[in-house]
Amino acid sequence: MTNVKELIVNRVPKFLVGNIAGTIVDTLVLWLFSHLVFSRYTGQVIISPIISFECAVFANFLVSYFFTWKDRITQSGKGSFFRRYAVYNASCTGGFLIKMGILMLIQFLTKWDVVICNLLALCVSGIFNFSMDEFVIFKRKKAI
């Protein structure tokens, strides 16, 4: 019961803070690129979300590493930071593929602006990302 309470009371709100920061970064970068840089479908719906994704991943990782799961970081240093970031980025790529599939499906079905479709898709892919963070990237080390 302690793990569930710790998860709900401590982890989820911190995860949401990180995701809000990432969502703000993602949305701003996506808007800038899809409205000011690219004018064609591929640039707006494919390339812009890729660029905004990478910016958001880095912002999310920083919040996760230094705030959300900082108590689970047993090794610190550049090597540990970048190794964990590589795994985090790979995990987020899976979440990104989920997000892109949902974004493109919603956009195809509704013809809504890509930014609105992106926000809806982020809600769904967030569940996958939390699970990966909790159980893979920042998993609790077993006591020996």
Side-chain angles (χ1 to χ4, degrees):
M1 189 62 116
T2 304
N3 288 339
V4 173
K5 181 181 177 186
E6 188 265 340
L7 186 71
I8 293 170
V9 173
N10 295 327
R11 248 8 122 189
V12 171
K14 289 179 178 180
F15 180 79
L16 290 174
V17 167
N19 275 319
I20 289 168
T23 299
I24 291 168
V25 169
D26 193 6
T27 304
L28 287 174
V29 172
L30 178 63
W31 184 85
L32 287 170
F33 278 83
S34 68
H35 286 81
L36 301 177
V37 176
F38 297 108
S39 60
R40 298 184 189 271
Y41 178 85
T42 303
Q44 291 179 334
V45 180
I46 306 291
I47 298 170
S48 294
I50 291 171
I51 295 168
S52 69
F53 162 75
E54 282 300 328
C55 294
V57 166
F58 192 67
N60 280 347
F61 180 73
L62 291 175
V63 173
S64 292
Y65 190 87
F66 292 110
F67 179 64
T68 308
W69 279 279
K70 70 179 180 182
D71 60 313
R72 294 190 185 176
I73 307 294
T74 56
Q75 293 179 336
S76 59
K78 289 178 188 175
S80 173
F81 179 87
F82 286 112
R83 275 191 304 277
R84 198 175 297 266
Y85 178 68
V87 174
Y88 186 85
N89 200 328
S91 166
C92 288
T93 299
F96 175 74
L97 293 174
I98 292 167
K99 179 189 95 160
M100 284 300 294
I102 294 168
L103 182 153
M104 293 176 80
L105 179 64
I106 293 170
Q107 204 281 327
F108 176 77
L109 295 173
T110 65
K111 305 298 185 234
W112 293 344
D113 187 89
V114 68
V115 174
I116 300 299
C117 298
N118 186 64
L119 289 171
L120 293 171
L122 283 171
C123 292
V124 176
S125 65
I127 296 167
F128 171 80
N129 289 331
F130 180 83
S131 298
M132 291 300 293
D133 288 355
E134 176 67 22
F135 302 112
V136 177
I137 299 159
F138 299 102
K139 68 182 175 185
R140 188 179 311 280
K141 301 290 184 195
K142 294 180 181 179
I144 297 175

